[in-house]
Amino acid sequence: VFALAAPGVRAAPLFDIMVLFDGSGSISNSDYEDQRSLGQYLFNSLTVSPTDNQFGIVQFSTGVTLESGLNGNAASLTNALNNMNQSFGQTNHADAFTTAHNELTVNGRAGAQQVVILLTDGNANEPGGNPLLDAFNAAEALKNDGALVFGMGFGNNVDIANIEFYTSAPSDDHAFHVQDFSDGVGAIDSIVAELNS
């Protein structure tokens, strides 16, 4: 008799997923709500539980806030998302990636595939110095530690080449240019399909 996975323990890949939400001032109220809805759609698209997939929530603008650490409680994640107030300010991708990396390093589970999903409508312009290079380096550090990095660029003001540079290869499977936040469901579906492939 061959033993199968114990009840309640998944044999398929487990994911620890950090979702990075853009709270910068260029995001309109409606886009912020659409972005929040996309987050909820993502949570609903994968099984969330302590023995399955976990999510964490980061909001970035000039600074970065860890809105929820890695969490396998769907209701808690929805609550954190609903209570996330837009922070406004500039666009700090570097510290968003670094905050996600720190959370995955400290609280990620052994054997879980680490995933980071960036949602943004603009290009890195914080912190001072060379914000784009800082963001590239922070994304590279995540990939070097084995994380899968996805990126979704919204609208006409984001340089999709930067998103492609951040993300895991091949960029066709990991970087998405979407016209409106409200059109992001298809990109989320593609990400979920890629994770489940």
Side-chain angles (χ1 to χ4, degrees):
V1 176
F2 294 98
L4 299 173
V9 177
R10 215 177 120 175
L14 297 171
F15 297 109
D16 284 340
I17 304 173
M18 297 298 297
V19 188
L20 316 183
F21 292 92
D22 192 334
S24 63
S26 57
I27 302 279
S28 69
N29 281 346
S30 62
D31 282 348
Y32 191 75
E33 290 309 316
D34 285 341
Q35 191 179 200
R36 205 196 307 255
S37 296
L38 281 180
Q40 188 61 58
Y41 182 78
L42 173 63
F43 300 159
N44 294 345
S45 298
L46 291 161
T47 305
V48 179
S49 85
T51 56
D52 211 307
N53 304 302
Q54 296 193 137
F55 285 94
I57 300 171
V58 170
Q59 180 178 198
F60 63 90
S61 54
T62 305
V64 176
T65 304
L66 181 64
E67 302 280 355
S68 172
L70 281 168
N71 189 326
N73 183 307
S76 171
L77 288 163
T78 295
N79 195 44
L81 203 55
N82 289 342
N83 289 323
M84 185 173 73
N85 294 315
Q86 187 173 358
S87 48
F88 298 100
Q90 301 299 314
T91 304
N92 186 341
H93 291 159
D95 287 345
F97 284 132
T98 299
T99 299
H101 199 169
N102 290 344
E103 176 63 14
L104 288 166
T105 299
V106 173
N107 293 315
R109 297 167 296 174
Q113 171 64 60
Q114 298 186 344
V115 180
V116 174
I117 303 172
L118 172 75
L119 286 71
T120 191
D121 79 331
N123 305 308
N125 57 17
E126 282 286 337
N130 193 331
L132 200 51
L133 181 61
D134 288 347
F136 288 157
N137 288 338
E140 201 64 23
L142 273 162
K143 291 183 283 187
N144 288 341
D145 272 0
L148 287 174
V149 179
F150 293 86
M152 218 181 291
F154 294 89
N156 298 322
N157 296 321
V158 65
D159 186 343
I160 196 62
N162 293 340
I163 303 296
E164 290 172 350
F165 201 94
Y166 294 157
T167 58
S168 301
S171 60
D172 283 356
D173 292 334
H174 298 89
F176 303 89
H177 195 188
V178 176
Q179 198 50 45
D180 296 305
F181 277 104
S182 55
D183 296 333
V185 166
I188 296 288
D189 287 342
S190 297
I191 291 171
V192 171
E194 179 70 17
L195 293 178
N196 285 329
S197 64

